Amino acid sequence: MRDQRLPSSPGFWRSPLRGPWLTSVLGVVLLAGITLLFVTGLLSYAAYNPDVSSVNDMTPGKGLLGFYLFAWPTSPYWLYRLTQGVHVTLGITLIPVVLAKLWSVVPKLFALPPARSLSHALERISLLLLVGGVLFEFTTGALNIQLDYIFPGSFYPLHFYGAWVFFAAFALHVALRLPAALRNLRHLRSGREREGEELVSPQPDPPTVSRRGALWTVGGASLLLFGTTVGQSLGGAWRRTALLAPHGGADPGSGPGGFQVNKTASYAGIDPRETGDEAWRLVVTGRTGTVRLSRADLLRMPLYSVALPIACVEGWSTDDQWWRGVRLRDLAALVGHESDPPDVLVESLQRRGAFRHAALRDNQVGDARSLLALYANGEPLTPDHGHPARVIVPGAPGVMNTKWVARMTFGDL
C-alpha cells in the first residue's frame, strides 16, 4: 500500500466530485472555447499585417509559425473590434473552466509509474505541456488585459510562442483523449464511469455538492467574469458594466475628446513644444521626393469625415468617433502616387514604448475612410488623442493608428 499522505497515492485525493464524467464535460467546453481562442488569436496576428514590414511584427525568428494567409481587410470596419473582443472576453470567461479542469485532473500529474506504455507516455507529456502552457497563456493574457506589463520581455513574442507550444500540446492531448471523453459523455444519464477510473477516489469524503452543482458553480463564475468584462468591447452604456476591465466604467472626462485612451502624451514623452503650430511639420516622402507640411497646409487640403472606433489588442474599444482630416491616398498623391497608393511607413514623435512607428498596407492607404485625422468629434485633437495629427484606419488595431505623426514614407516596404 502506498502512503496515503503522498500525492502519488489515489487515497490522497478525497473529493467525491472527481471522475471521468466531470472531466469530460469540462474538456468538451474547453475543446470548443480554446479552439475559438486560437483562431481569433491568429486573426489578431494577421490584423497587424506582419509581412508588410518588420516594425509590425515583434516575433523575430518565427519561421513557419508565423504563417500569414491574407492582407487584413478594411471592411467591415468593425472586424478587428469583433475578433479581438471575442478573443479577450472569451479568454477571461474560460478562466474558471480552466481552473476547474486542472483541479479535476490533478491526480494524473502525480500518478506512478510515469509511463505504462508509449501512448500513456505521450499523454503524460502532453498533459505537462498543456498545464504549463495554459497557465502561462492565461496568466500573461490576463496581465496584459489589465495593463500589468510585468513580463520578463515583450508580451508579443512571449504570448505568440507560448500559444504555439500550448496549442500543439492541446491538439495532441485531444487526439489521445477525445474518444474516451465522448464515451464518458454517452453514459451521462446512466452514471456509469468507464474511462478514467484513476480519477475516482477509493476513499471519497462525504459529498457537499453534486457534480452538476459544481458545474453550475463554474458556469456561474464564468458568467460573472463575462458580465463584468464584455462591456469594454461593446462600448456605450455597456461599458459601465465592465467592472473588471481597466477601460470599463464611464468614459474619461467629457466633451469631444472624452473617450478612451491607452497611452497618454505624457507617457509617450511628447514635448508640447514639438507639437505647436510653429514647430510641427509633417514630412511626407514618396516617388517624387519629399514635402514638408504644416498643420495650416493640411487644413487647406480637402478634408473628409468618417465615423470609426478605436479597437485595442487588450480587447477594449471606443464607440464610433467622428474623425476629420486628410485622406492618406491624397497625401500619397502629393509625392507621386496618384493612381496606385502604395504601402506607407508612419513614424511618431513618441519617444518610448512599442509601436512608435507602424506600416500600413496599400489597401489600407487606398481606402477612402483612411485619414490623417486633425479633428475628433468636431474639435482639434487633444494631446492624448494624438495632436497635432494621427492616423485612423478602418479595421486596424489601435496601435496601428499612430498618434503624434511626424513622418510618412510611401512606397514598397
Side-chain angles (χ1 to χ4, degrees), residues 4 9-18 103 107 199-207:
Q4 302 301 305
S9 172
F12 181 86
W13 308 101
R14 305 292 296 275
S15 173
L17 297 180
R18 284 194 183 90
W103 173 87
L199 295 176
V200 179
S201 175
Q203 298 173 330
D205 288 331

Side-chain angles (χ1 to χ4, degrees), residues 26 29-30 89-103 138 214-226:
L26 295 171
V29 173
L30 289 177
T89 304
L90 179 60
I92 293 294
T93 302
L94 286 178
I95 287 176
V97 185
V98 168
L99 294 177
K101 172 69 172 179
L102 293 178
W103 173 87
F138 276 78
L215 286 179
W216 278 110
T217 301
V218 173
S222 289
L223 286 175
L224 179 63
L225 290 178
F226 175 83

Side-chain angles (χ1 to χ4, degrees), residues 239 250-261 318-319 321 376-377 382 385:
R239 187 180 302 282
D251 283 328
S254 60
F259 55 95
Q260 299 290 325
V261 62
T318 70
D319 298 329
Q321 310 295 323
N377 301 321
T382 64
H385 285 299

Side-chain angles (χ1 to χ4, degrees), residues 48-236:
Y48 285 78
N49 284 316
D51 280 5
V52 176
S53 170
S54 59
V55 302
N56 283 15
D57 192 354
M58 303 182 70
T59 54
K62 59 189 178 181
L64 294 176
L65 297 181
F67 66 87
Y68 180 61
L69 299 177
F70 59 92
W72 190 252
T74 55
S75 292
Y77 73 90
W78 41 260
L79 180 60
Y80 184 76
R81 182 181 186 180
L82 172 65
T83 59
Q84 193 62 15
V86 169
H87 183 76
V88 169
T89 304
L90 179 60
I92 293 294
T93 302
L94 286 178
I95 287 176
V97 185
V98 168
L99 294 177
K101 172 69 172 179
L102 293 178
W103 173 87
S104 74
V105 299
V106 68
K108 285 191 173 184
L109 298 178
F110 297 93
L112 296 176
R116 296 190 298 266
S117 65
L118 177 59
S119 62
H120 184 246
L122 290 175
E123 181 186 345
R124 292 295 298 275
I125 293 172
S126 71
L127 188 61
L128 289 174
L129 292 175
L130 194 61
V131 170
V134 74
L135 292 176
F136 180 83
E137 285 298 286
F138 276 78
T139 299
T140 55
L143 289 173
N144 185 64
I145 293 165
Q146 295 298 324
L147 308 181
D148 291 327
Y149 302 111
I150 58 175
F151 318 108
S154 172
F155 166 77
Y156 298 93
L158 288 173
H159 204 66
F160 177 85
Y161 292 119
W164 278 111
V165 171
F166 165 64
F167 196 78
F170 178 73
L172 176 60
H173 191 72
V174 168
L176 294 171
R177 297 302 303 166
L178 184 59
L182 294 177
R183 284 194 296 271
N184 289 326
L185 290 176
R186 291 192 194 104
H187 295 279
L188 183 150
R189 292 184 179 179
S190 67
R192 288 180 293 165
E193 306 281 15
R194 290 293 184 89
E195 302 284 342
E197 292 87 350
E198 68 273 17
L199 295 176
V200 179
S201 175
Q203 298 173 330
D205 288 331
T208 57
V209 65
S210 68
R211 289 176 181 173
R212 285 181 173 82
L215 286 179
W216 278 110
T217 301
V218 173
S222 289
L223 286 175
L224 179 63
L225 290 178
F226 175 83
T228 52
T229 303
V230 69
Q232 69 168 349
S233 300
L234 299 177

Side-chain angles (χ1 to χ4, degrees), residues 306-372:
V306 62
L308 293 173
I310 297 174
C312 193
V313 69
E314 285 97 3
W316 63 269
S317 61
T318 70
D319 298 329
D320 288 357
Q321 310 295 323
W322 276 100
W323 308 92
R324 186 166 178 80
V326 179
R327 285 174 172 168
L328 296 187
R329 66 189 192 189
D330 291 346
L331 291 170
L334 286 179
V335 287
H337 302 281
E338 293 85 357
S339 59
D340 56 341
D343 304 336
V344 63
L345 176 65
V346 184
E347 299 176 73
S348 173
L349 292 172
Q350 180 178 343
R351 282 178 167 73
R352 61 175 180 267
F355 293 99
R356 296 182 296 275
H357 37 219
L360 300 173
R361 275 198 180 276
D362 53 4
N363 66 311
Q364 295 173 313
V365 175
D367 193 296
R369 298 166 294 177
S370 297
L371 303 179
L372 180 71

